[in-house]
Amino acid sequence: MFTRMLKLRLLNAVAPAYFFTATAVTFILHFCLFIPTIFPSPEVSLRGSTMLHSIVFLFLMLNALGNYVMTIKYPAESANETVIPVCSPDCPDKVDAHYLLNGRHFCKLCKKVILKRDHHCFFTGNCIGNKNMRYFIMFCIYTSCTCLYSLVLGVAFLTVEYSISFENPLTFLTLLPLSTGYFFMGVISGLQLFLVLMLYVWLGIGLVCAGFCCQQVLLVARGQTWCQMQRGQLVENHNPWKTNLRDVFGTRWALGLILPVQTVETCSEDVAAQKQD
């Protein structure tokens, strides 16, 4: 138990550092390599394309970072409960949290009582619950879009700079093992191998975030949380799916799609605590 909690706490510290490192690397590669190489000519026709790609990239990345900050700024913790509960020996939740009552969980990593807890996100370093679910979903959406967009620009850069053709679908599948072998043979540089690795990092993060986002939206529409699914508990939610989505995304949901702003009023904790988990 102690060893597992130690690993979780270590992951809770490493994951945010990994996120910010990957973000900084992506930003530098975009403006220092991709754009200058793909659009090298100062012609007026290409200036518009350069500006368009830069604006799209900044829009996606700033929204991802903005919703990341909002996820941390509006935690799902309960401000009315400051006493740390003691986990009983027969507690069924032995990993990172245990269930209290009325949709409340005590997170052993945050050491706080969480209202309508869904899960603990290691990249943000806090729990996802009733107050920050909307920001977490938008964070996943824009992170996925940023990674997949960077993947496209990375492929274009390798095509222009190193004349690598991606017309054959097998090219991408064999790119990493071949590039690794060529690197140790001294055929390609370390920069080219690093760019190939980043392509797979962007693809992996983009697909994982997209799949996780779809899962979270489905749970929200059903009025459930991941904690309930883990316990195998089916909640009788009589609200229609539109109402459940509106409770999370708010009435100004369209504004929240393009800007990381607060779109839903914070419900009183007394009302939220009365919701049965």
Side-chain angles (χ1 to χ4, degrees):
M1 181 68 180
F2 175 78
T3 304
R4 174 166 293 188
M5 285 301 301
L6 182 62
K7 292 180 180 179
L8 292 177
R9 293 188 185 281
L10 180 62
L11 181 59
N12 203 45
V14 172
Y18 170 79
F19 169 75
F20 283 111
T21 301
T23 301
V25 170
T26 301
F27 185 87
I28 294 173
L29 288 178
H30 180 89
F31 286 102
C32 296
L33 282 181
F34 294 167
I35 293 298
T37 302
I38 298 175
F39 306 102
S41 178
E43 297 179 2
V44 178
S45 59
L46 293 181
R47 289 180 183 175
S49 299
T50 303
M51 185 67 66
L52 177 62
H53 282 282
S54 299
I55 291 175
V56 171
F57 176 79
L58 288 175
F59 172 77
L60 295 176
M61 176 164 283
L62 290 178
N63 267 281
L65 291 175
N67 284 283
Y68 179 88
V69 172
M70 296 292 278
T71 303
I72 301 175
K73 182 179 179 181
Y74 294 97
E77 64 193 55
S78 173
N80 295 334
E81 301 181 65
T82 57
V83 179
I84 298 178
V86 178
C87 184
S88 60
D90 57 344
C91 175
D93 302 313
K94 294 295 184 182
V95 183
D96 63 339
H98 66 81
Y99 176 66
L100 299 177
L101 286 174
N102 301 326
R104 294 151 52 249
H105 287 77
F106 173 70
C107 179
K108 301 174 187 177
L109 294 175
C110 299
K111 292 185 177 180
K112 296 176 182 178
V113 176
I114 309 299
L115 300 175
K116 202 174 181 181
R117 183 181 186 269
D118 187 87
H119 69 282
H120 183 93
C121 178
F122 294 99
F123 287 100
T124 60
N126 65 345
C127 281
I128 308 301
N130 64 329
K131 295 181 182 178
N132 54 5
M133 176 60 74
R134 166 255 186 277
Y135 308 113
F136 176 75
I137 292 177
M138 296 308 301
F139 163 68
C140 290
I141 291 176
Y142 278 105
T143 299
S144 177
C145 292
T146 303
C147 289
L148 296 179
Y149 185 74
S150 300
L151 173 64
V152 174
L153 290 180
V155 169
F157 174 81
L158 292 179
T159 302
V160 173
E161 184 69 12
Y162 299 104
S163 301
I164 300 178
S165 176
F166 289 88
E167 294 182 357
N168 189 342
L170 294 178
T171 301
F172 191 86
L173 297 178
T174 58
L175 185 61
L176 181 59
L178 290 179
S179 298
T180 304
Y182 290 152
F183 171 74
F184 286 106
M185 294 170 58
V187 178
I188 64 175
S189 63
L191 175 61
Q192 186 173 348
L193 177 62
F194 177 74
L195 292 175
V196 172
L197 289 174
M198 287 304 299
L199 292 184
Y200 287 88
V201 170
W202 288 326
L203 177 63
I205 296 178
L207 293 180
V208 169
C209 286
F212 200 71
C213 175
C214 294
Q215 171 190 278
Q216 293 301 119
V217 172
L218 179 60
L219 289 175
V220 169
R222 297 172 60 182
Q224 291 186 317
T225 63
W226 179 247
C227 283
Q228 294 168 345
M229 296 293 293
Q230 283 185 315
R231 295 200 309 270
Q233 184 179 11
L234 298 178
V235 179
E236 294 183 4
N237 191 291
H238 302 289
N239 295 330
W241 63 271
K242 291 184 179 180
T243 303
N244 293 329
L245 290 177
R246 185 166 56 248
D247 290 341
V248 172
F249 290 93
T251 56
R252 299 181 298 165
W253 59 270
L255 179 62
L257 292 178
I258 58 176
L259 292 175
V261 295
Q262 189 173 2
T263 59
V264 61
E265 296 294 334
T266 303
C267 299
S268 64
E269 296 189 18
D270 293 337
V271 175
Q274 292 176 358
K275 295 181 178 180
Q276 298 295 322
D277 193 8

